[in-house]
Amino acid sequence: MVGGRAADLAPTAAVKIFSAGTAGCVADLVTFPLDTAKVRLQVQGESKPLLKGQRAEYRGVFGTIFTMVKTEGPRSLYSGLVAGLHRQMSFASVRIGMYDTMKQLYSRGSENAGLGTRLLAGSTTGAMAVAFAQPTDVVKVRFQAQARRPESGSVKRYSSTIDAYRTIARDEGFKGLWKGCLPNITRNAIVNCSELVTYDIMKELILKYNLMTDNMPCHFTAAFAAGFCTTIVASPVDVIKTRFMNSVPGQYSGAVNCAITMLIKEGPTAFYKGFVPSFLRLGSWNIVMFVSYEQIKRAVMRLYVASVNP
């Protein structure tokens, strides 16, 4: 992003793409249980709305995690992890790794990019990333949403990640792998703008006013702010995306119908279901990802410098 020590060699676009994908995987490994809890809370009440006075199965992020571990085992918290790592390598690498390149392109090489230019760059890379990673996102959500309880006779929806790709393509057509692509493009344009632009601006201001040096505390602070802003802005679209991608064929006619159905049956608060786990997950994910991203970039460039100057 912005800043950087003068002694550091500027990372290339390829280094940024590799570093972003790797950092995204590291962040997913750390925060995946929170993401799974968020998905479970978001789809709760979808197939059978809760009756008046009926107790919800999942209550809060930590309650959801406890319930899942108790009823399905600890491994359930990482259901869909393989697809999640597939997603980050093809998704984070594009939306984060190419952000600076797109910003430079839109600003015609200027070092002082305006807010509009940053928002446009974030929207562009977010949309581009969906085109690459949508099938991995669909499979990840399906795995996270399915409850596996042998004692109740429930059957796993898919036996493996590869089986999920194959089954969705066979039963729902090739388009099934891109289910929810439009709301996902909308979500990721919003997420990218909120996340990357907030981080970019926060880091720039911290360095400009000499509040911190370009190190981990600076990255941590900027990443925390990015996670908070992103959760507030993106939660409604995120819930709609999760519901639509997890739905069976014919349940909703489209993303808009999904949103209207949620509003009528569950009220406006349904759009902020799983808000706390979303914030915990996005906040922690942003911190781990951006700190890892900055460090991986520098490590790769040091290795490159050492290789050309033995």
Side-chain angles (χ1 to χ4, degrees), residues 34-44 141 144-145 242:
L34 293 172
D35 190 38
T36 302
K38 177 204 72 173
V39 170
R40 290 293 181 92
L41 285 166
Q42 287 177 339
V43 300
Q44 181 168 248
V141 167
Q144 289 177 312
T242 299

Side-chain angles (χ1 to χ4, degrees), residues 14 20 29 32 88-89 100 133 155 191 230 273 307:
L29 286 169
F32 207 78
Q88 292 303 336
M89 285 307 299
D100 282 338
V155 180
V191 166
T230 303
K273 275 190 172 182
S307 67

Side-chain angles (χ1 to χ4, degrees), residues 243-278:
R243 288 285 186 94
F244 188 62
M245 289 198 303
N246 186 56
S247 64
V248 297
Q251 185 173 354
Y252 304 115
S253 60
V256 175
N257 175 252
C258 178
I260 293 172
T261 302
M262 284 174 57
L263 182 62
I264 293 173
K265 291 187 175 181
E266 302 171 60
T269 57
F271 295 101
Y272 280 91
K273 275 190 172 182
F275 179 82
V276 173
S278 287

Side-chain angles (χ1 to χ4, degrees), residues 184-248:
N184 213 10
I185 286 176
T186 303
R187 174 193 179 272
N188 282 296
I190 294 171
V191 166
N192 236 31
C193 288
S194 303
E195 196 173 79
L196 295 178
V197 174
T198 300
Y199 181 83
D200 205 10
I201 292 174
M202 282 295 296
K203 183 180 174 185
E204 189 175 72
L205 290 173
I206 289 170
L207 297 177
K208 179 180 178 181
Y209 292 103
N210 297 315
L211 300 176
M212 300 176 188
T213 57
D214 190 7
N215 52 22
M216 282 194 185
C218 170
H219 306 155
F220 180 97
T221 303
F224 183 87
F228 183 74
C229 292
T230 303
T231 308
I232 292 175
V233 174
S235 277
V237 182
D238 191 33
V239 174
I240 295 169
K241 180 212 76 166
T242 299
R243 288 285 186 94
F244 188 62
M245 289 198 303
N246 186 56
S247 64
V248 297

